Amino acid sequence: MRPRGRQWWKLLGLAGVVGVAATGVVAVRADRQRKAYTPDEVRARLHERYTRAYAVHDGQKEIDLTPPTWRDRVTGALRRLRRRGTGTDQPRARRIPSAS
């Protein structure tokens, strides 16, 4: 038996209700898992994720979590400037307009 006329609207409404209920279940489950962590655990996980992302960005596999010294900060800043190519010894790239 095929649905006709208003029966399609009823099926569409039922599918919408099921979708809203499923979304609510997923949201409640995620909220329960999020609330299961203590603030210290959340902080530790965020620090761990940050160091992993920074290590991937920097090309290293791991990063030491000790705070950097003044000398480390200065040498890191100079290294980043050299990597960008903003030093005075390197010419800046200029865009050449096309002939067409």
Side-chain angles (χ1 to χ4, degrees), residues 39-60:
D40 292 333
E41 289 172 337
V42 172
R43 190 176 302 112
R45 288 181 63 146
L46 285 174
H47 283 294
E48 182 182 339
R49 285 173 54 192
Y50 173 76
T51 54
R52 283 185 188 162
Y54 188 73
V56 168
H57 173 72
D58 210 21
Q60 300 174 358

Side-chain angles (χ1 to χ4, degrees), residues 14-55:
L14 182 62
V17 168
V18 169
V20 168
T23 304
V25 167
V26 170
V28 168
R29 181 183 299 163
D31 194 42
R32 253 191 246 137
Q33 288 177 350
R34 184 176 49 88
K35 287 182 179 180
Y37 295 116
T38 65
D40 292 333
E41 289 172 337
V42 172
R43 190 176 302 112
R45 288 181 63 146
L46 285 174
H47 283 294
E48 182 182 339
R49 285 173 54 192
Y50 173 76
T51 54
R52 283 185 188 162
Y54 188 73

